[in-house]
Amino acid sequence: MADTHWLDLVKKAAVQAVKHEKPCDYMIGTVTSAKPLKIKLSDGDGLELGADFFHLTENVTDHTVNVTISGSEQKIKMNNALKKGDKVLMIRKWGGQDFIIVDKVVS
């Protein structure tokens, strides 16, 4: 019986250690400023972080795309830069210090 109790304690300690490390997870945030970039996290704390914490994907930046229309290659500018009020989907790096902004949330 004592062995089972000891094993349960070890399991609980392991779970707490993983939670303490803040494993990779997704979060939703709201852009509070586009330049400089600031995003308020929607995790209950309402913490606002600056640009140093974020890595942006092409989905949330202005960029040019080459497309072929009727056999002719053309460039199209995608105006996807983040704006104040945008909701964003972020993935938090293991440990909780950096985030990659994957895309805008539309619903």
Side-chain angles (χ1 to χ4, degrees):
M1 182 88 88
D3 289 336
T4 304
H5 178 68
W6 181 82
L7 185 58
D8 288 341
L9 288 176
V10 170
K11 286 179 184 177
K12 285 181 184 177
V15 168
Q16 289 301 319
V18 169
K19 285 182 180 178
H20 179 71
E21 287 294 320
K22 296 182 181 177
C24 180
D25 197 4
Y26 83 91
M27 298 180 78
I28 303 295
T30 303
V31 177
T32 57
S33 171
K35 292 186 182 184
L37 181 60
K38 292 182 183 178
I39 297 176
K40 185 175 182 179
L41 306 181
S42 302
D43 65 351
D45 292 339
L47 183 64
E48 184 179 64
L49 299 175
D52 292 345
F53 290 91
F54 303 114
H55 303 279
L56 306 178
T57 61
E58 188 175 61
N59 290 340
V60 294
T61 63
D62 290 343
H63 60 281
T64 303
V65 177
N66 292 324
V67 296
T68 302
I69 301 174
S70 300
S72 173
E73 189 172 299
Q74 299 180 22
K75 293 183 183 221
I76 296 176
K77 182 175 181 190
M78 305 298 286
N79 298 313
N80 289 343
L82 295 173
K83 298 176 209 57
K84 184 177 180 178
D86 283 345
K87 298 242 186 265
V88 293
L89 172 65
M90 305 179 293
I91 298 174
R92 182 179 61 207
K93 182 179 176 183
W94 187 274
Q97 295 301 313
D98 292 323
F99 298 83
I100 184 165
I101 300 176
V102 179
D103 213 338
K104 296 178 185 180
V105 177
V106 294
S107 63

